[in-house]
Amino acid sequence: MKNANVLQARIDALLNVLPEDVLILSQQGSIIFSTHSDSAIPWGSSEELIGKTMGDLFPEPLELALQGMVDQCLSLNRLVVKELLFDPQEIPYFKTQGMEKSCWVEVRMAPSAGSEPSVVCRIDDVSERKMSQQDRSPTQRDLLTGMYNRRALMPVLSQSIAQALRYDWICSLMLINVDSLRLINDEKGWDVGDQILKRLAESLNSLKRTADFLARVGDDGFAILLPETNAEQGILAAERVRNMVADLSAPHSGTEVRFTVSIGVATLIGEDDSAESMYSRAEGGLQQSKQQGGNRISGSE
């Protein structure tokens, strides 16, 4: 018994020093143990989390996904791994805790020893890894839409900035995200989500000017580089996109699924600007649009 207590104390100490978020969940999905020593996700205090269920923290689609992992882990008695998107606009608990930006996480669950069935759950923010993988990908085309991807966009954006600075021109960047695409996928199916992205890509391609550069960036959005476009013109271009989307839909079970987009716009601000900083400002505007409820346009200038 003494050895068991020592072992448990060592396990607790190990969990407490891990940089990732670690939960121990009961078979029913209740939180038995929680530690978040260096987390970017605002879980709240470990004491407050004990006893909460997945349904207390997450909307139904995510709750079902996580409970399904618990069930699979215990029934198969093996490690289960899945990547999920944590979006504060779709997870009210995280939004009230102050979370502003969405992130991709890797959830790993393994069976835990004990008198009652439970699992150890490690949640690791993998947003930077996913972005890095996209940047290192040798292909410059998105397989679903046929559009250029972020890897192709960034050098074109850098070149456009250099030309604008050399010839005293201007340029803007627009980031466009489908609102609540993950929930659409969960509720209607991934085929509907894919149809939405394809239709949006086709419509954006028809709307853009010849000199504009369109790319798919991330799982739910696109970017349009707008040469010789100032901040005011960039917002007007974004408004045209938003109005166009109001007429788009995707078929599902004899009905049409409509959707909206959030848009962030950034404009070149000077000689010290770069593709990365301009993209970051557009992303900040996009997040502001999403935080305000979606179907909005925000500029970072």
Side-chain angles (χ1 to χ4, degrees):
M1 187 66 179
K2 181 178 179 181
N3 288 339
N5 291 337
V6 171
L7 178 60
Q8 184 61 53
R10 289 174 176 171
I11 292 174
D12 290 345
L14 174 62
L15 292 174
N16 278 314
V17 299
L18 288 175
E20 300 89 358
D21 303 314
V22 178
L23 305 171
I24 296 181
L25 306 174
S26 71
Q27 188 171 16
Q28 293 74 35
S30 297
I31 299 174
I32 301 171
F33 175 90
S34 165
T35 179
H36 313 282
S37 58
D38 187 24
S39 176
I41 301 172
W43 292 94
S45 70
S46 296
E47 293 76 14
E48 292 173 341
L49 286 174
I50 302 302
K52 289 187 181 297
T53 66
M54 295 297 96
D56 294 328
L57 303 181
F58 300 103
E60 184 176 5
L62 270 178
E63 175 195 2
L64 294 176
L66 290 165
Q67 185 61 52
M69 290 183 69
V70 173
D71 296 340
Q72 184 180 15
C73 177
L74 292 175
S75 62
L76 300 179
N77 194 36
R78 65 172 176 82
L79 175 70
V80 178
V81 182
K82 181 177 288 190
E83 288 187 354
L84 298 171
L85 179 65
F86 281 2
D87 186 342
Q89 304 308 313
E90 297 167 2
I91 308 175
Y93 176 80
F94 284 159
K95 187 173 183 178
T96 59
Q97 294 285 334
M99 187 175 181
E100 297 181 351
K101 296 182 65 174
S102 60
C103 67
W104 281 96
V105 298
E106 181 184 75
V107 182
R108 302 174 68 88
M109 293 190 187
S112 174
S115 57
E116 298 292 335
S118 61
V119 301
V120 175
C121 172
R122 192 193 78 176
I123 300 176
D124 188 16
D125 185 344
V126 295
S127 301
E128 290 187 7
R129 186 184 76 190
K130 286 179 72 70
M131 186 67 71
S132 176
Q133 288 172 345
Q134 291 174 0
D135 289 345
R136 291 198 306 268
S137 172
T139 182
Q140 293 192 339
R141 290 280 186 175
D142 169 53
L143 296 178
L144 176 66
T145 65
M147 299 290 105
Y148 285 106
N149 58 19
R150 188 177 186 275
R151 178 182 176 86
L153 168 69
M154 296 309 284
V156 176
L157 178 56
S158 294
Q159 182 181 16
S160 183
I161 290 173
Q163 289 178 337
L165 292 173
R166 181 177 180 182
Y167 297 107
D168 198 23
W169 294 344
I170 194 72
C171 63
S172 293
L173 177 68
M174 184 192 316
L175 294 185
I176 308 152
N177 270 38
V178 178
D179 292 324
S180 303
L181 182 62
R182 185 180 59 78
L183 286 180
I184 293 173
N185 286 334
D186 290 339
E187 294 174 1
K188 309 293 185 182
W190 287 88
D191 287 344
V192 175
D194 286 350
Q195 285 300 316
I196 285 174
L197 290 169
K198 288 178 181 178
R199 293 197 173 191
L200 179 55
E202 292 168 359
S203 298
L204 291 173
N205 196 45
S206 298
L207 186 67
K208 77 178 184 66
R209 304 169 302 180
T210 302
D212 296 342
F213 189 90
L214 172 63
R216 184 181 178 191
V217 290
D219 294 315
D220 55 0
F222 297 87
I224 303 180
L225 168 60
L226 305 164
E228 299 184 54
T229 302
N230 62 29
E232 182 181 357
Q233 293 166 337
I235 295 296
L236 291 174
E239 190 61 46
R240 288 194 291 271
V241 169
R242 196 172 72 91
N243 291 334
M244 174 200 72
V245 171
D247 296 326
L248 298 181
S249 62
H252 174 65
S253 300
T255 63
E256 294 293 318
V257 177
R258 297 195 175 276
F259 61 97
T260 60
V261 295
S262 293
I263 303 176
V265 181
T267 300
L268 182 65
I269 57 176
E271 294 183 357
D272 294 331
D273 215 350
S274 67
E276 290 75 17
S277 61
M278 196 165 163
Y279 192 97
S280 179
R281 294 199 310 279
E283 202 167 39
L286 173 63
Q287 291 300 325
Q288 182 178 340
S289 294
K290 292 170 74 70
Q291 289 164 16
Q292 292 175 349
N295 194 23
R296 296 176 185 271
I297 300 164
S298 300
S300 60
E301 278 67 51

